[in-house]
Amino acid sequence: VQLQASGGGLVQAGESVRLSCEVSGISLDYYAIGWFRQAPGKEREGVQCVSSKGGITYFAAAEKGRFTISRDADKNTVYLQMNSLKPEDTAVYYCAAELNFCPTVRRTSYWGRGTQVTVSS
């Protein structure tokens, strides 16, 4: 099983980034995929999750209105569209997978390696 997160980089405040999580070895028909982030010196926190049925769960760092999770089951890929980025969004962003339920920081079957997003002011 592999989760490959990509799409991060250095951007200016106010710009947009779309992260991708390409999943192999498991099917989005059965697994929920969540996005998490970890800023320097802080604990990892959940952002958003999309279930195997397409339902969306918002975690503490959901950034509703600025971030949108989506998935393409044909491509086995989940996206996180991030708009109006702020310097405080700077973090390593990870995707994770859990069977049937949204993954959490403490209960996750599979983690991806993460992609760095740096937002400059």
Side-chain angles (χ1 to χ4, degrees):
V1 177
Q2 283 194 324
L3 284 75
Q4 183 64 52
S6 63
L10 173 63
V11 298
Q12 300 272 354
E15 292 184 341
S16 298
V17 164
R18 188 177 79 159
L19 304 182
S20 299
C21 177
E22 294 184 52
V23 180
S24 59
I26 56 175
S27 171
L28 298 189
D29 289 342
Y30 304 106
Y31 279 80
I33 305 296
W35 282 101
F36 298 78
R37 68 183 183 183
Q38 188 165 17
K42 295 188 176 181
E43 293 187 351
R44 192 170 299 187
E45 58 183 357
V47 180
Q48 298 184 16
C49 168
V50 58
S51 75
S52 58
K53 300 286 190 287
I56 306 297
T57 297
Y58 299 98
F59 296 120
E63 306 294 347
K64 290 172 73 171
R66 294 195 299 124
F67 292 4
T68 304
I69 193 170
S70 63
R71 67 176 199 158
D72 185 333
D74 291 338
K75 295 182 179 179
N76 234 34
T77 299
V78 174
Y79 305 97
L80 185 67
Q81 178 69 41
M82 305 190 295
N83 299 328
S84 303
L85 283 163
K86 305 174 182 179
E88 50 264 43
D89 295 320
T90 294
V92 178
Y93 284 75
Y94 300 87
C95 55
E98 181 64 30
L99 182 65
N100 294 329
F101 302 103
C102 279
T104 66
V105 172
R106 289 175 176 76
R107 187 198 67 216
T108 300
S109 293
Y110 306 104
W111 284 102
R113 281 196 174 185
T115 183
Q116 174 74 47
V117 175
T118 303
V119 185
S120 63
S121 57

